[in-house]
Amino acid sequence: MLSIIIPTFNEKHNVYTVTDRICQVLDGEEFEIIFVDDSSDETPEFLARISKENPRVSYIHRNGERGLATAVTTGFQACRGSILTVMDADLQHPPELLPQLLAKIKTGHDLVVPSRFIPGGDDGGLSLLRKIVSRSARALAWIALKKARHTTDPMSGFFMFRKHIIDGLELNPVGWKILLEVLVKGNYRSVAEVPYRFQPRAGDESKMSFKEQLNYLRHLFRLVCTSPEDSRFWKFSLVGLSGVFVNLAIYTFLVGMFRTNVVLSGVLSAFIAMFSNFMLNDHFTWKNENSQPFLVRLAKFYIYCSIGIFINAAVLTVFYESANLNYILANLLGIATATFWNFTSNNKWTWGTNTGDLIPDDNRENSLG
Ligand code: GDD
Ligand code: MN
């Protein structure tokens, strides 16, 4: 059974039409429609009437509560289907797409996202300003969250999935982007997309606000913090920064207190700083990722970071000598490249974390049996 969850806030002009159009296209399928309503207008009276006339429709009215994403998670808990869809009430998400989405699920995909950004799709139903905001938000999501890259439209408020992919998960969205939450936390193995044209709003007005856009940033930050694969790079950089201070402290101690040779002090303090970086990364950045013996991890860390020093020098040389860049900028570029190398190589080979990649589309049917 398919459960269609529709959050509503003051949508009295749309709830009838959206119900009608869904019932028309899904004729013959087993489905239910659940409205989760926070309205302050007469929408609840409309919903009461619709659910009386149509046994497939039910609604939950939350008194005094607001919030798109929590409305959706309330719907997740109340629904009976094993396949769930979330869509808006205002017909910007055409119900006529539902059979196509369902077909994708039935061929074995766990999650289907209608996308405005693949050939045949279109985000024309948004104003120019909203388009810019929406696309920047998408770019941010892609940068910050690896799993957001599983779809071309992670900002979508329209998607369908098998319920088991969220079983036992604690979904904790702030704001609007419930799909991001499912993408980052869900246990899915394959994602499909279907192109669609985002329609102009049918009736009533948009509830998107500046406050929700700020909430989005909070949500993104929270997702990064709770997702080990996405927070690792930032933790690694933080540890790297601490290494600079360790290095400087030991260096000034050796030179200042013991009048040790400057070059020798530099080498010694670098080695000790690398060791402190290793210990911090082992206990903090890649906590619980110790499939290899301690000494192997330690040796690998030293080897990859030493290669990093060469990469740093090479990039610095290229930009300083050949491109005539300012010497500090050239070194910063070198540091950035080396940091990226150090992170990637150690992530892959020293701590060997699971990449969590999806099954490629061509092999999917085989591997799912
Ligand atoms: N229950 C409940 N509570 N529903 C809400 C609330 C709320 O606080 N706020 C909004 N909704 C409902 C609306 O009634 C509508 O059905 C749906 O959520 C989307 O709200 P819109 O006001 O139509 O948002 P939009 O068109 O600006 O944004 C939509 O398109 C975006 C694409 O860029 C949403 O689907 C976004 O999630 C999507 O990213
Ligand atoms: Mn809308």
Side-chain angles (χ1 to χ4, degrees), residues 115-148:
S115 171
R116 297 163 284 181
F117 305 107
I118 49 178
D122 185 1
D123 61 350
L126 286 177
S127 67
L128 179 64
L129 178 68
R130 278 288 306 273
K131 265 186 207 171
I132 296 171
V133 171
S134 167
R135 286 172 182 232
S136 318
R138 178 175 69 144
L140 266 185
W142 278 345
I143 293 169
L145 303 165
K146 199 171 169 222
K147 286 182 178 146

Side-chain angles (χ1 to χ4, degrees), residues 144-145 219-228 230-232 234:
L145 303 165
H219 187 200
L220 210 57
F221 180 75
R222 216 153 88 173
L223 278 176
V224 170
C225 293
T226 52
S227 153
D230 295 306
S231 53
R232 257 182 216 125
W234 304 109

Side-chain angles (χ1 to χ4, degrees), residues 34-94:
I34 303 180
F35 288 95
V36 186
D37 180 61
D38 297 338
S39 299
S40 53
D41 68 355
E42 302 87 68
T43 308
E45 285 88 79
F46 279 76
L47 291 174
R49 224 180 303 152
I50 299 173
S51 57
K52 213 176 254 166
E53 291 165 13
N54 189 335
R56 294 190 184 282
V57 180
S58 60
Y59 77 102
I60 300 168
H61 180 72
R62 306 193 302 172
N63 237 330
E65 236 183 292
R66 273 296 306 265
L68 175 51
T70 56
V72 172
T73 49
T74 303
F76 287 172
Q77 283 155 11
C79 69
R80 290 171 295 149
S82 57
I83 304 169
L84 312 191
T85 287
V86 180
M87 67 189 291
D88 295 349
D90 58 358
L91 299 162
Q92 296 197 275
H93 301 148

Side-chain angles (χ1 to χ4, degrees), residues 298-309:
L298 182 66
K300 284 186 168 180
F301 185 78
Y302 269 89
I303 292 169
Y304 298 134
C305 293
S306 307
I307 297 174
I309 294 175

Side-chain angles (χ1 to χ4, degrees), residues 51-245:
S51 57
K52 213 176 254 166
E53 291 165 13
N54 189 335
R56 294 190 184 282
V57 180
S58 60
Y59 77 102
I60 300 168
H61 180 72
R62 306 193 302 172
N63 237 330
E65 236 183 292
R66 273 296 306 265
L68 175 51
T70 56
V72 172
T73 49
T74 303
F76 287 172
Q77 283 155 11
C79 69
R80 290 171 295 149
S82 57
I83 304 169
L84 312 191
T85 287
V86 180
M87 67 189 291
D88 295 349
D90 58 358
L91 299 162
Q92 296 197 275
H93 301 148
E96 289 66 33
L97 219 59
L98 288 168
Q100 270 185 66
L101 305 183
L102 202 54
K104 288 278 183 195
I105 293 279
K106 286 180 177 166
T107 57
H109 290 284
D110 295 323
L111 172 63
V112 188
V113 184
S115 171
R116 297 163 284 181
F117 305 107
I118 49 178
D122 185 1
D123 61 350
L126 286 177
S127 67
L128 179 64
L129 178 68
R130 278 288 306 273
K131 265 186 207 171
I132 296 171
V133 171
S134 167
R135 286 172 182 232
S136 318
R138 178 175 69 144
L140 266 185
W142 278 345
I143 293 169
L145 303 165
K146 199 171 169 222
K147 286 182 178 146
R149 297 170 214 161
H150 288 153
T151 162
T152 56
D153 202 351
M155 297 296 110
S156 178
F158 190 15
F159 53 99
M160 187 183 282
F161 61 97
R162 288 186 181 277
K163 191 174 190 183
H164 71 76
I165 74 171
I166 59 161
D167 275 351
L169 291 186
E170 199 182 313
L171 297 179
N172 212 349
V174 220
W176 279 40
K177 302 303 173 187
I178 184 78
L179 173 59
L180 269 189
E181 194 82 6
V182 174
L183 278 167
V184 172
K185 298 181 177 168
N187 297 311
Y188 51 92
R189 302 191 61 201
S190 79
V191 181
E193 298 195 318
V194 172
Y196 85 110
R197 320 188 75 135
F198 191 73
Q199 302 296 314
R201 202 173 220 283
D204 301 302
E205 40 188 64
S206 171
K207 282 85 195 177
M208 179 49 97
S209 62
F210 183 62
K211 193 179 141 220
E212 289 307 339
Q213 286 158 2
L214 289 183
N215 265 336
Y216 169 67
L217 296 180
R218 268 182 56 211
H219 187 200
L220 210 57
F221 180 75
R222 216 153 88 173
L223 278 176
V224 170
C225 293
T226 52
S227 153
E229 72 174 344
D230 295 306
S231 53
R232 257 182 216 125
F233 180 73
W234 304 109
K235 289 182 176 171
F236 181 79
S237 303
L238 213 64
V239 168
L241 193 66
S242 81
V244 174
F245 291 102

Side-chain angles (χ1 to χ4, degrees), residues 271-285:
F271 263 85
I272 297 170
M274 248 193 233
F275 185 73
S276 106
N277 279 0
F278 172 80
M279 292 305 285
L280 287 172
N281 280 322
D282 206 48
H283 285 90
F284 171 61
T285 316

